[in-house]
Amino acid sequence: RMPVSVTTVDRWQRASAAFSLSFLSLVFSITAFGSSYWCEGTRKVAKPFCTGQSNGDHCIRFNSPDANDSNAVQYIWETGDDKFVERKFHAGIWYSCEEIVNEGEKCRSFISLTPAADRGVLWLSIISELLYIILLLTGAILMAVEMCYYSTVIDRLKINAFSAVVTVLAG
């Protein structure tokens, strides 16, 4: 039979490893919930028509000297990929941001981007993320109590079982 001190140290090491992983998961989930970098990349956007004196590569020029005349036929020489510009973007649950040429970055909230009919689903996903974070926090608190609570083995096992159930519910 093993000495009591070895099993106590072993239990504490297992409890501290479980607490560390649970706390790390909690930190990552809170960071992801508040971040607007859930996905990022570039997308092709059609170039706008050049107006006024703009002579950049980020707009489509007309071959007509009288570009504002609606009677003039305007030929666009750009074809294929020349008609598009690559814009960088990043999006999260709260904001969606897009790089605008000569203006910097433009961010819009999820309320302005989501159609009114689909806002209920978005709010449901926000509530489920909050519930996930609350359950992870509860599991981490219970694991911390298990590590610091010096009582009978049965009490520790009860706390351990309840923290395991709460953590599994979070998943």
Side-chain angles (χ1 to χ4, degrees), residues 143-157:
M143 288 179 201
V145 167
E146 179 193 356
M147 285 174 38
C148 301
Y149 183 65
Y150 295 104
S151 183
T152 64
V153 174
I154 295 298
D155 289 341
R156 283 188 177 180
L157 287 176

Side-chain angles (χ1 to χ4, degrees), residues 1 17 62 73 92 95 101 103 109 118-119 121 136 144 152 157 160 167:
R1 185 170 178 188
F62 301 115
V73 177
Y95 290 102
V101 178
E103 292 181 28
S109 72
D118 295 334
R119 286 191 186 143
V121 175
L136 277 179
T152 64
L157 287 176
N160 190 351
T167 306

